[in-house]
Amino acid sequence: MFSYFKQLFAQVTNPPIDPIREELVMSLISYIGTERNILNEAPENCHTLKIPHPILTNRDLEKLRHISSGDLLATTLPTLFRAADGQVGLKHALDDLSERAAYAVASGYSLLILSDRGVNETMAPIPSLLAMAAVHHRLVRDKTRTQVALIIEAESRAR
């Protein structure tokens, strides 16, 4: 799936992008949490987490998983389906995942961790790109996407 959606052309920037020498104007820092009106100066606009780069360690992920401070509340949603159910099972699991994500946002969760931990002989992972896209588009349709941060936990597997 990732190979299908990769960039199929070479994009040239002029001047070349150099993140090492241009760190003043380029950053990998992300702020996660509920997005509010940035034009309104209010204390609750500060309730975000600053993540220095997009890759998290297991320790960082565990800290996020157990956060419960202010309006930052995390939950983990499994992204697995029964392998024996094949394509139909995958479709059902995506619909169920999207429904659970919408319910979690309505319940006040602001960090959703989409996790494929627990893969075994009977349970297969939903591809993380597909899981993220399904949840993202559901929340956009519900007009709740800016209320939540989406985080992927992908267990590494040897090929």
Side-chain angles (χ1 to χ4, degrees):
M1 183 160 269
F2 286 95
S3 295
Y4 178 80
F5 286 106
K6 74 178 180 184
Q7 188 171 332
L8 298 177
F9 60 91
Q11 183 171 350
V12 178
T13 62
N14 196 4
I17 293 175
D18 185 357
I20 295 169
R21 291 176 191 80
E22 297 179 17
E23 67 181 84
L24 291 175
V25 293
M26 296 185 74
S27 174
L28 294 176
I29 293 173
S30 296
Y31 294 90
I32 60 174
T34 302
E35 293 180 21
R36 293 189 171 83
N37 183 354
I38 60 171
L39 301 176
N40 180 21
E41 291 184 31
E44 56 270 5
N45 288 357
C46 299
H47 290 248
T48 59
L49 294 174
K50 181 179 178 180
I51 308 293
H53 44 78
I55 308 296
L56 301 173
T57 64
N58 285 335
R59 185 170 184 234
D60 292 338
L61 187 60
E62 286 307 310
K63 286 179 186 177
L64 286 178
R65 191 183 315 277
H66 294 87
I67 197 164
S68 178
S69 174
D71 62 351
L72 294 173
L73 186 59
T75 188
T76 301
L77 302 175
T79 59
L80 302 173
F81 70 101
R82 286 180 16 94
D85 294 344
Q87 194 173 5
V88 173
L90 175 59
K91 168 85 170 88
H92 177 71
L94 281 169
D95 292 342
D96 185 54
L97 174 64
S98 298
E99 189 66 33
R100 285 183 285 131
Y103 181 76
V105 173
S107 299
Y109 289 97
S110 56
L111 303 172
L112 302 184
I113 301 169
L114 308 180
S115 175
D116 69 1
R117 287 202 184 258
V119 172
N120 57 33
E121 301 80 30
T122 60
M123 299 303 287
I126 298 172
S128 58
L129 183 62
L130 192 58
M132 177 69 82
V135 169
H136 168 78
H137 286 290
R138 168 62 189 268
L139 298 178
V140 167
R141 278 193 307 275
D142 292 351
K143 295 182 173 52
T144 58
R145 178 61 183 92
T146 59
Q147 296 174 20
V148 67
L150 299 177
I151 300 161
I152 290 286
E153 177 184 25
E155 191 173 11
S156 65
R157 287 175 272 287
R159 291 185 175 206

